[in-house]
Amino acid sequence: LVAMVLLPLTLSAAERSLKIDKSRSYVDVDVKVTIGSFTGRLESYDTTFTVDEKGKIKTAVLAFKFADLKTGKTERDAKMIEWLGGGDPAGKFEVGILALAPDGQGQVTGKLTMHGQSQRVEFPVNVTQADGTYSVIGEATVDYQQWELKVLKIAHTLKVNPLVTVRFKFTGTLPATPSAEQ
């Protein structure tokens, strides 16, 4: 009975956290407007990636605040916050399933929470690991209307396309394992 109770602790103890190098990582959001487009970059975010004893990513979470999504125009950034309901809106993506082929190509299914709601999101991903460095690259197109956000119109002539593309790359390494002597 004791072994059965401690088994989950043993399994989770074998998992380690991946340390993401933000200088080699990014999250970009591409937005199309009636007469053009722009890209916002998430300048600050928190991530949690765990890797099992075989070196496979088991869990991943991205948490962020929309105030950290910068488009290069302060007024546009402020209007985005207002459109989201004001205050300090935040978002979170949690990986549910990460299915990868041996070459690293695969599919992610997860939950994106924003505007007080959670919706399932699926997209392709590529995960590589070489010399202890992991690279996770992907792109997802989401329709913000799924989170009950209205199509944004500006001056009755410009319309923000409800389909936005999120492109990302996370580069990280596992911390050194403690030696047996410690």
mmCIF file of all heavy atoms in Angstrom, residues 156-174:
data_model
loop_
_atom_site.group_PDB
_atom_site.id
_atom_site.type_symbol
_atom_site.label_atom_id
_atom_site.label_comp_id
_atom_site.label_asym_id
_atom_site.label_seq_id
_atom_site.Cartn_x
_atom_site.Cartn_y
_atom_site.Cartn_z
ATOM 1 N N HIS A 156 -15.261 52.768 -38.191
ATOM 2 C CA HIS A 156 -16.237 52.182 -39.119
ATOM 3 C C HIS A 156 -15.645 51.789 -40.466
ATOM 4 O O HIS A 156 -16.380 51.413 -41.367
ATOM 5 C CB HIS A 156 -17.428 53.124 -39.321
ATOM 6 C CG HIS A 156 -18.131 53.452 -38.047
ATOM 7 N ND1 HIS A 156 -18.834 52.520 -37.313
ATOM 8 C CD2 HIS A 156 -18.230 54.605 -37.354
ATOM 9 C CE1 HIS A 156 -19.346 53.090 -36.241
ATOM 10 N NE2 HIS A 156 -18.985 54.361 -36.224
ATOM 11 N N THR A 157 -14.353 51.934 -40.656
ATOM 12 C CA THR A 157 -13.756 51.574 -41.940
ATOM 13 C C THR A 157 -12.716 50.466 -41.795
ATOM 14 O O THR A 157 -12.507 49.707 -42.727
ATOM 15 C CB THR A 157 -13.082 52.779 -42.613
ATOM 16 O OG1 THR A 157 -12.090 53.309 -41.731
ATOM 17 C CG2 THR A 157 -14.093 53.850 -42.959
ATOM 18 N N LEU A 158 -12.073 50.387 -40.642
ATOM 19 C CA LEU A 158 -11.059 49.361 -40.423
ATOM 20 C C LEU A 158 -11.631 48.251 -39.546
ATOM 21 O O LEU A 158 -12.290 48.513 -38.548
ATOM 22 C CB LEU A 158 -9.826 49.958 -39.739
ATOM 23 C CG LEU A 158 -9.077 51.042 -40.487
ATOM 24 C CD1 LEU A 158 -7.914 51.552 -39.646
ATOM 25 C CD2 LEU A 158 -8.569 50.515 -41.809
ATOM 26 N N LYS A 159 -11.354 47.041 -39.931
ATOM 27 C CA LYS A 159 -11.830 45.885 -39.176
ATOM 28 C C LYS A 159 -10.643 44.978 -38.888
ATOM 29 O O LYS A 159 -9.820 44.708 -39.768
ATOM 30 C CB LYS A 159 -12.884 45.148 -39.999
ATOM 31 C CG LYS A 159 -13.373 43.867 -39.383
ATOM 32 C CD LYS A 159 -14.397 43.211 -40.302
ATOM 33 C CE LYS A 159 -14.448 41.743 -40.036
ATOM 34 N NZ LYS A 159 -15.281 41.036 -40.986
ATOM 35 N N VAL A 160 -10.556 44.510 -37.638
ATOM 36 C CA VAL A 160 -9.500 43.577 -37.256
ATOM 37 C C VAL A 160 -10.012 42.166 -37.520
ATOM 38 O O VAL A 160 -11.049 41.757 -36.978
ATOM 39 C CB VAL A 160 -9.109 43.751 -35.774
ATOM 40 C CG1 VAL A 160 -8.076 42.714 -35.372
ATOM 41 C CG2 VAL A 160 -8.585 45.158 -35.523
ATOM 42 N N ASN A 161 -9.320 41.437 -38.364
ATOM 43 C CA ASN A 161 -9.694 40.064 -38.697
ATOM 44 C C ASN A 161 -9.739 39.238 -37.413
ATOM 45 O O ASN A 161 -8.791 39.276 -36.627
ATOM 46 C CB ASN A 161 -8.676 39.486 -39.677
ATOM 47 C CG ASN A 161 -9.091 38.149 -40.245
ATOM 48 O OD1 ASN A 161 -9.672 37.315 -39.571
ATOM 49 N ND2 ASN A 161 -8.780 37.954 -41.509
ATOM 50 N N PRO A 162 -10.812 38.471 -37.180
ATOM 51 C CA PRO A 162 -10.895 37.683 -35.947
ATOM 52 C C PRO A 162 -9.908 36.515 -35.891
ATOM 53 O O PRO A 162 -9.676 35.959 -34.820
ATOM 54 C CB PRO A 162 -12.339 37.197 -35.915
ATOM 55 C CG PRO A 162 -12.841 37.321 -37.299
ATOM 56 C CD PRO A 162 -12.039 38.404 -37.962
ATOM 57 N N LEU A 163 -9.308 36.155 -37.019
ATOM 58 C CA LEU A 163 -8.304 35.092 -37.022
ATOM 59 C C LEU A 163 -6.929 35.706 -36.819
ATOM 60 O O LEU A 163 -6.450 36.482 -37.657
ATOM 61 C CB LEU A 163 -8.339 34.318 -38.338
ATOM 62 C CG LEU A 163 -9.649 33.602 -38.659
ATOM 63 C CD1 LEU A 163 -9.562 32.931 -40.024
ATOM 64 C CD2 LEU A 163 -10.009 32.604 -37.576
ATOM 65 N N VAL A 164 -6.309 35.391 -35.700
ATOM 66 C CA VAL A 164 -4.953 35.871 -35.424
ATOM 67 C C VAL A 164 -4.017 34.668 -35.384
ATOM 68 O O VAL A 164 -4.408 33.577 -34.988
ATOM 69 C CB VAL A 164 -4.870 36.694 -34.119
ATOM 70 C CG1 VAL A 164 -5.696 37.951 -34.217
ATOM 71 C CG2 VAL A 164 -5.287 35.883 -32.930
ATOM 72 N N THR A 165 -2.793 34.890 -35.790
ATOM 73 C CA THR A 165 -1.804 33.821 -35.820
ATOM 74 C C THR A 165 -0.778 34.053 -34.725
ATOM 75 O O THR A 165 -0.194 35.135 -34.636
ATOM 76 C CB THR A 165 -1.105 33.764 -37.193
ATOM 77 O OG1 THR A 165 -2.109 33.560 -38.200
ATOM 78 C CG2 THR A 165 -0.093 32.631 -37.255
ATOM 79 N N VAL A 166 -0.588 33.036 -33.916
ATOM 80 C CA VAL A 166 0.401 33.093 -32.840
ATOM 81 C C VAL A 166 1.575 32.212 -33.275
ATOM 82 O O VAL A 166 1.407 31.020 -33.532
ATOM 83 C CB VAL A 166 -0.187 32.592 -31.504
ATOM 84 C CG1 VAL A 166 0.868 32.649 -30.405
ATOM 85 C CG2 VAL A 166 -1.429 33.384 -31.128
ATOM 86 N N ARG A 167 2.743 32.817 -33.371
ATOM 87 C CA ARG A 167 3.969 32.090 -33.728
ATOM 88 C C ARG A 167 4.890 32.101 -32.520
ATOM 89 O O ARG A 167 5.002 33.123 -31.842
ATOM 90 C CB ARG A 167 4.688 32.758 -34.908
ATOM 91 C CG ARG A 167 3.903 32.729 -36.195
ATOM 92 C CD ARG A 167 4.602 33.468 -37.338
ATOM 93 N NE ARG A 167 4.658 34.908 -37.088
ATOM 94 C CZ ARG A 167 5.768 35.598 -36.857
ATOM 95 N NH1 ARG A 167 6.945 35.014 -36.850
ATOM 96 N NH2 ARG A 167 5.708 36.904 -36.642
ATOM 97 N N PHE A 168 5.533 30.985 -32.255
ATOM 98 C CA PHE A 168 6.396 30.946 -31.073
ATOM 99 C C PHE A 168 7.584 30.018 -31.273
ATOM 100 O O PHE A 168 7.565 29.114 -32.116
ATOM 101 C CB PHE A 168 5.603 30.490 -29.837
ATOM 102 C CG PHE A 168 5.047 29.095 -29.970
ATOM 103 C CD1 PHE A 168 5.803 27.994 -29.610
ATOM 104 C CD2 PHE A 168 3.772 28.898 -30.465
ATOM 105 C CE1 PHE A 168 5.294 26.716 -29.741
ATOM 106 C CE2 PHE A 168 3.253 27.630 -30.595
ATOM 107 C CZ PHE A 168 4.019 26.532 -30.231
ATOM 108 N N LYS A 169 8.592 30.317 -30.472
ATOM 109 C CA LYS A 169 9.764 29.445 -30.361
ATOM 110 C C LYS A 169 10.226 29.539 -28.918
ATOM 111 O O LYS A 169 10.415 30.638 -28.391
ATOM 112 C CB LYS A 169 10.891 29.889 -31.285
ATOM 113 C CG LYS A 169 12.140 29.034 -31.131
ATOM 114 C CD LYS A 169 13.251 29.502 -32.057
ATOM 115 C CE LYS A 169 14.488 28.642 -31.897
ATOM 116 N NZ LYS A 169 15.577 29.124 -32.755
ATOM 117 N N PHE A 170 10.369 28.382 -28.298
ATOM 118 C CA PHE A 170 10.928 28.317 -26.950
ATOM 119 C C PHE A 170 12.195 27.487 -27.033
ATOM 120 O O PHE A 170 12.185 26.368 -27.554
ATOM 121 C CB PHE A 170 9.955 27.675 -25.962
ATOM 122 C CG PHE A 170 8.698 28.480 -25.769
ATOM 123 C CD1 PHE A 170 7.496 28.049 -26.278
ATOM 124 C CD2 PHE A 170 8.735 29.688 -25.092
ATOM 125 C CE1 PHE A 170 6.343 28.791 -26.117
ATOM 126 C CE2 PHE A 170 7.587 30.444 -24.924
ATOM 127 C CZ PHE A 170 6.384 29.992 -25.442
ATOM 128 N N THR A 171 13.287 28.034 -26.531
ATOM 129 C CA THR A 171 14.561 27.340 -26.492
ATOM 130 C C THR A 171 14.950 27.186 -25.028
ATOM 131 O O THR A 171 14.937 28.167 -24.283
ATOM 132 C CB THR A 171 15.644 28.127 -27.247
ATOM 133 O OG1 THR A 171 15.201 28.330 -28.597
ATOM 134 C CG2 THR A 171 16.965 27.393 -27.246
ATOM 135 N N GLY A 172 15.262 25.960 -24.641
ATOM 136 C CA GLY A 172 15.586 25.741 -23.237
ATOM 137 C C GLY A 172 16.524 24.574 -23.028
ATOM 138 O O GLY A 172 16.771 23.775 -23.936
ATOM 139 N N THR A 173 17.049 24.504 -21.819
ATOM 140 C CA THR A 173 17.959 23.428 -21.439
ATOM 141 C C THR A 173 17.532 22.869 -20.087
ATOM 142 O O THR A 173 16.872 23.546 -19.296
ATOM 143 C CB THR A 173 19.415 23.937 -21.326
ATOM 144 O OG1 THR A 173 19.446 25.030 -20.411
ATOM 145 C CG2 THR A 173 19.957 24.378 -22.671
ATOM 146 N N LEU A 174 17.932 21.648 -19.852
ATOM 147 C CA LEU A 174 17.701 21.044 -18.546
ATOM 148 C C LEU A 174 18.845 21.428 -17.627
ATOM 149 O O LEU A 174 20.004 21.463 -18.046
ATOM 150 C CB LEU A 174 17.649 19.520 -18.657
ATOM 151 C CG LEU A 174 16.392 18.949 -19.288
ATOM 152 C CD1 LEU A 174 16.554 17.450 -19.503
ATOM 153 C CD2 LEU A 174 15.182 19.236 -18.426
#
